[in-house]
Amino acid sequence: MAVLNFKGKTFVQNHHLAVKYHQLVPQKDKSLTDKVSLNDNLIIHGDNLKALKALLPTYAGKIKCIYIDPPYNTGNENWVYNDNVNSPMMQEWLGKVVDKEDFTRHDKWLCMMMPRLKLLRELLREDGVIFVSIDDNEQHRFRILMDEVFGEENFIANIIWQKKYSPQNDANYFSDMHDFIVVYAKKRNDGLEKGGWVRNLIPRTEEQNARYKNPDNDPRGLWKSADLSVKTYSEEYDYPITTQSGRVVNPPKGRSWMTSEDNFNKLRSDNRIWFGKTGDNVPSLKIFLSEVQEGVVPLTLWLRTEVGDNESAKKEIKEIFSEIQLPFDTPKPTSLIKRILQISTEKDSIILDSFAGSGTTANAVLELNTEEGNRKFILVECEDYADESILEGDKLPGYLELARYIFYTATGEEFDPEKVDEKRNFIGESKEYEVYLFYKPDIEYLRTTALTLDRAKNLGEYKNKKRLVFAPSKYLDHDYLLEYRIDYCQLPFEIYKLKS
Ligand SMILES: C[S@@+](CC[C@H](N)C(=O)[O-])C[C@H]1O[C@@H](n2cnc3c(N)ncnc32)[C@H](O)[C@@H]1O
C-alpha cells in the first residue's frame, strides 16, 4: 500500500500511546442533572488529544458514529500545533500559528491529525463509522492518512456537500461551492462476513412520495413508471412488443428490455405494464409505493436544499446564541449532521464529535431523539464556548477513576466497577490476571507506599491466575515476585508530575 511520508511522522506514529493520563472530572454546577456521570451526554472542555485518551477506559469500542470537522488548514484559521511530542523539531513548532507562509503547514496538520485518528478508531465500535468534513486543502493527503489508520479496504465514500448557494464571481479560477465528507467504517460489511458497519436508508421525503400517482385507479395504490429498457444489450431480451393500441415497438437502438418475453407477458397480465393513457406509448414498468424500500439509498451528492449550507448554519447559531463570537466561519447546519446520524446510528447509539465548535452535533442528536430514540453525544472543544464540564489535569484522580484507566490499559478488557474492592486493593480480573492497585489520591501515601513482602502475602491465596500489581514503588526482589506470581508495574509517572 502506498503511504504518505511527512515531517514528524516517525514521532507521532505512536504518540497516542504516550499521551499522559488526565482525569475527566464532571462538574456538578455546570450539569443539568443531579446525578453527574460519565455515562451521560458529555461536553468536555479541553484539548481533544488528552480528552480522547481520557475517554478510552469508559468508551473504547462503544462509539457508533464519529463526526469531526477539524481545521481545514486553509492558512487563515489561526490554529496552532500544540502537542507535546518528544522531538526538538516539533517542540520548535509549538505555539506558532499555522498560516499560509508556513512551509511545514501540511506536515504539522498531518502530525496533529494522526494520533487523534488513532484514538478515535479505538473508540469506535466494530460496527461504527467515522464521517470527516474536509476541503481541498487537505482532502487528498487526508485520504491517504485514513487509508493508513483505518485501512483502505474500509473506505466507504467521499461525499460532496454543497456548502453555498451564491457563486463567488471574483474567484481567480473556480468558485468553490462544496466541501467533502469523507467516510470510513471501522470495518466494512459487504454482506460476505458478519459484523462491520451497515448503513441505514434515509427516510423518504414527501417530495419523493409525490412522484407516485394512480392514473388508472389501480387498487394496489400509488405507483410511478420506470423505463422498461436497459443499456446492456442482450439478444434474448430484444423482442417486439405490441402496445394496447396495436402498435409494435422494439427497444431503443443498442438497448434491450429489462426482462425476458415470458416474464414480460406475466407482468402484462398482472397489469404491471403501462402504455400511457391512450394505450399507445412505449411500455414502462409500474413501481408501487407500497413496494419500495422503507427509505432511499443515500447518494454521494448532498444538496443544500436537502441538508442546509454554511449560511443557514450561521442563522441557526444566531438564533440560539445571539452574542457568541466563533473563531471559525464555517459552522455546519444541524440538518447536515442529522443526515449523517440517520445513515449511521440506531436508537441508543453514542455519537462523538471531538472538534465540536458550536455544538451542532449535539443539536442534531437531540433533534433526532425527539423523533425517536435516546442517543447520547460526547463533544470535545478546546475553546471557552465549551465551558460545561472541565477536563482538569492538575488533580490526582480518584481510586475508581485510576482503576478504570489502569485496568483497561493493562488488560485491554472491559472494566467492571462492581468488582472493585478498594480495601483489598483489588480492581478486577482479566482472562490472564487478577489486577491490584495500591493507590490513594494523596501525595504522602504515594511517596511512602511500596509493594512489600507483607503486602504481597496479603494479596490472598493464589488462584491459578498471575497477579498484576500496580503500586507507587516496590521493596521486593525478583525471587519473591516469582514465588507470589506477581508482575509488578509502577504507577504511571505522570500522576506524580501532575501534582508537582
Ligand atoms: C471548524 S470548527 C467545528 C465547527 C462545528 N462543526 C460546528 O458546526 O460548529 C473546529 C473546532 O475545533 C476546535 N478545535 C481545534 N483543535 C482542537 C483541539 N486540539 N481540541 C479540541 N478542539 C479543537 C476549534 O476550536 C473549533 O471550534
Side-chain angles (χ1 to χ4, degrees):
M1 184 181 80
V3 291
L4 187 67
N5 270 325
F6 49 91
K7 262 193 199 141
K9 183 173 182 183
T10 46
F11 303 108
V12 295
Q13 255 165 340
N14 288 318
H15 182 58
H16 64 293
L17 302 174
V19 176
K20 285 185 201 164
Y21 174 62
H22 285 68
Q23 186 189 6
L24 287 170
V25 185
Q27 296 229 314
K28 205 164 178 187
D29 53 328
K30 293 186 174 160
S31 170
L32 294 174
T33 64
D34 284 340
K35 275 196 199 155
V36 181
S37 148
L38 281 184
N39 299 307
D40 207 336
N41 290 325
L42 294 178
I43 299 178
I44 303 169
H45 184 193
D47 186 281
N48 52 19
L49 190 63
K50 292 174 192 156
L52 294 175
K53 185 83 184 220
L55 284 168
L56 273 184
T58 318
Y59 284 104
K62 301 227 170 102
I63 307 289
K64 176 74 178 168
C65 169
I66 294 172
Y67 168 71
I68 55 168
D69 181 11
Y72 286 2
N73 215 14
T74 58
N76 305 318
E77 291 155 310
N78 284 334
W79 80 274
V80 174
Y81 183 81
N82 250 340
D83 296 345
N84 195 12
V85 174
N86 189 11
S87 136
M89 176 193 77
M90 293 170 75
Q91 292 283 325
E92 273 284 293
W93 291 355
L94 299 183
K96 294 178 191 149
V97 168
V98 181
D99 57 22
K100 281 221 168 82
E101 270 70 64
D102 185 339
F103 292 128
T104 53
R105 77 184 165 109
H106 300 299
D107 307 271
K108 285 179 181 167
W109 190 86
L110 290 160
C111 282
M112 184 273 287
M113 290 302 289
M114 191 172 205
R116 287 167 176 80
L117 292 172
K118 290 199 170 179
L119 292 174
L120 287 170
R121 189 175 172 281
E122 276 190 56
L123 287 162
L124 271 186
R125 284 163 51 144
E126 283 304 291
D127 61 351
V129 62
I130 178 168
F131 290 75
V132 184
S133 280
I134 200 86
D135 76 359
D136 274 318
N137 283 288
E138 297 294 353
Q139 190 264 150
H140 52 313
R141 277 176 280 265
F142 178 68
R143 283 277 301 274
I144 303 181
L145 183 66
M146 285 296 274
D147 282 349
E148 187 170 337
V149 178
F150 279 75
E152 61 178 295
E153 67 283 6
N154 292 315
F155 170 74
I156 301 281
N158 187 23
I159 297 163
I160 289 173
W161 167 54
Q162 186 194 3
K163 65 179 172 184
K164 61 180 170 192
Y165 170 65
S166 310
Q168 198 189 329
N169 285 325
D170 59 352
N172 275 353
Y173 290 100
F174 291 87
S175 171
D176 186 17
M177 304 301 284
H178 68 275
D179 278 358
F180 300 104
I181 302 174
V182 174
V183 190
Y184 278 74
K186 169 110 173 226
K187 183 176 168 213
R188 245 184 105 108
N189 174 321
D190 286 305
L192 300 173
E193 42 180 323
K194 282 200 182 143
W197 182 57
V198 180
R199 62 108 182 85
N200 305 327
L201 298 169
I202 45 183
R204 302 183 60 81
T205 61
E206 290 195 1
E207 197 189 334
Q208 283 160 341
N209 286 347
R211 288 184 207 132
Y212 289 75
K213 308 248 154 55
N214 195 354
D216 59 349
N217 293 324
D218 192 312
R220 290 165 289 191
L222 300 173
W223 56 271
K224 75 171 189 186
S225 60
D227 194 349
L228 194 72
S229 76
V230 288
K231 238 201 264 168
T232 33
Y233 183 78
S234 120
E235 212 170 303
E236 194 195 338
Y237 286 11
D238 180 1
Y239 48 88
I241 292 177
T242 307
T243 65
Q244 282 167 331
S245 62
R247 189 162 70 91
V248 175
V249 288
N250 285 296
K253 202 160 179 258
R255 298 172 73 97
S256 43
W257 303 122
M258 67 175 358
T259 188
S260 66
E261 193 162 7
D262 273 358
N263 201 34
F264 172 82
N265 288 332
K266 275 188 209 139
L267 290 167
R268 186 172 192 158
S269 55
D270 192 26
N271 185 23
R272 298 204 59 142
I273 302 294
W274 174 243
F275 292 97
K277 277 200 167 151
T278 57
D280 190 45
N281 288 4
V282 172
S284 56
L285 182 67
K286 285 162 76 171
I287 312 263
F288 290 94
L289 183 56
S290 56
E291 284 169 359
V292 287
Q293 297 159 304
E294 280 290 289
V296 279
V297 173
L299 311 183
T300 52
L301 180 63
W302 294 7
L303 301 177
R304 56 176 281 285
T305 45
E306 291 163 17
V307 293
D309 57 20
N310 280 147
E311 278 313 306
S312 61
K314 280 188 211 161
K315 268 192 209 144
E316 276 179 29
I317 292 185
K318 274 204 185 125
E319 274 166 27
I320 304 175
F321 328 89
S322 48
E323 298 294 313
I324 200 163
Q325 269 297 329
L326 291 174
F328 55 88
D329 206 24
T330 54
K332 301 297 181 283
T334 305
S335 37
L336 178 76
I337 314 298
K338 216 167 134 187
R339 164 71 57 92
I340 289 175
L341 302 180
Q342 279 167 338
I343 294 171
S344 61
T345 67
E346 285 137 23
K347 280 187 280 186
D348 295 317
S349 301
I350 305 173
I351 294 110
L352 168 66
D353 180 346
S354 55
F355 291 89
S358 61
T360 314
T361 299
N363 211 17
V365 168
L366 297 174
E367 262 195 26
L368 202 58
N369 283 350
T370 59
E371 289 165 27
E372 191 190 29
N374 185 26
R375 295 165 188 79
K376 293 215 163 61
F377 62 78
I378 302 174
L379 304 187
V380 187
E381 172 56 55
C382 59
E383 292 289 336
D384 283 347
Y385 41 77
D387 186 12
E388 285 288 316
S389 167
I390 304 284
L391 179 72
E392 294 208 84
D394 59 352
K395 279 193 193 149
L396 287 170
Y399 187 85
L400 203 61
E401 208 48 49
L402 187 66
R404 182 188 294 276
Y405 174 75
I406 294 260
F407 187 87
Y408 170 76
T409 335
T411 66
E413 290 179 32
E414 197 167 342
F415 172 71
D416 179 356
E418 300 279 303
K419 299 274 158 56
V420 173
D421 181 349
E422 197 174 335
K423 276 198 198 121
R424 285 204 304 124
N425 305 292
F426 177 75
I427 62 169
E429 228 171 284
S430 72
K431 283 191 203 92
E432 244 185 292
Y433 288 108
E434 286 178 358
V435 188
Y436 294 85
L437 170 64
F438 287 85
Y439 172 76
K440 279 191 183 142
D442 167 1
I443 207 76
E444 213 29 53
Y445 173 95
L446 294 171
R447 278 206 196 101
T448 54
T449 306
L451 176 62
T452 56
L453 186 54
D454 274 354
R455 290 198 166 101
K457 283 181 183 164
N458 283 339
L459 291 181
E461 217 178 295
Y462 172 69
K463 293 191 245 102
N464 282 330
K465 268 189 191 171
K466 284 177 94 178
R467 278 93 73 97
L468 192 59
V469 179
F470 286 84
S473 54
K474 81 170 156 60
Y475 304 141
L476 206 60
D477 67 26
H478 186 64
D479 289 347
Y480 277 122
L481 289 178
L482 275 181
E483 185 181 334
Y484 289 96
R485 318 281 177 104
I486 290 174
D487 280 358
Y488 165 76
C489 296
Q490 184 162 30
L491 277 182
F493 179 55
E494 299 84 53
I495 291 183
Y496 306 90
K497 278 202 14 198
L498 284 177
K499 199 69 188 172
S500 56

